[in-house]
Amino acid sequence: MKISVALCTYNGSSYIEKQLNSILDQQDFKVNEIVICDDNSTDETLEILNNFKAKHPSVFSIHVNEYNVGSTKNFEKAISLCSGDYIFLADQDDIWKEDKIKKTLAVFDKNPSAEGVFSNADLIDQEDNLIPSVTIWDSVFFLEKELPKPIDFFNVITKNGNVVTGATLCIKNIVKNFIFPFTDDVLHDEKIAVMLALRKSLFYSRENLISYRIHDKQQVGMKNIYKLVSKNKLKRVILDLDKPSSFQEYRELSKKQYLKFHKCKKYEHSAFLKIDIQDLITKSHRELHLLNIKMKLKFPTRCRFALLIDKLLDKRR
């Protein structure tokens, strides 16, 4: 069994050394290949990477882009270059727990149909201090304990937003056959998560297997994490855990249900799905239609006004 890591860097000299040491210092399982794609860094990142390569020449493979391509395309390149049976995605500024690989592979072993496994994560600040009382799942409203099992990840991701943080994700090599190309309109981790959800092959570990860093320079991260509680009620409605009562809740749920229907249509002709996509499209449309009927009956005046505004703005035709 060969284990690869796909890691992307860009001006990451402040934290990359800690991350690489945490990847190299894993319990029981050793990483065979670390593929690093650098997006034309201008700081000391490449010097640090070359020092690691000098110490571990058979492990490190460093590729430098001629120009900046952005994180999504950079991850496409890094993943495509990995040759391992299992490919762990990694950001440049996090820290892996020493048993991350061991516990991730245990989920694969327990679930033979799994093609991807993600996990929860601690949040740390710029000085490696733990941010208390909140995890990465809290920050993306992945209410795992309350959601019906098995979790309908397509429903969760399309209505709630992506809950699969790429820095916690591991995929089997076979996944490379159907996730490319990545496009700039969808982040790489969401694209992978949606495809795996539609194949019923996305699984997870409840444990916090990395420390995810929150700092000013990160490209993608959780903002205003302590303001999350105020949004919780609306998120619960969106996730079908609570029933809508106010017009705002009905309206927001309708918007999210429309997005789910639209996402279904996007994958209508995909050849790699393991679900009946036409059935999913029909059900999504029916759910949207019935929800809008209920909303119109309960709030007729406000619905007419909202419909008028939508027409004027050319929304949701």
Side-chain angles (χ1 to χ4, degrees), residues 170-184:
C170 175
I171 58 175
K172 287 184 175 178
N173 190 284
I174 191 176
V175 173
K176 294 197 298 181
N177 293 339
F178 53 81
I179 58 172
F180 300 138
F182 293 159
T183 54
D184 291 334

Side-chain angles (χ1 to χ4, degrees), residues 298-309:
K298 193 166 186 176
F299 305 99
T301 302
R302 298 189 69 174
C303 282
R304 284 195 293 270
F305 181 74
L307 181 62
L308 176 62
I309 296 298

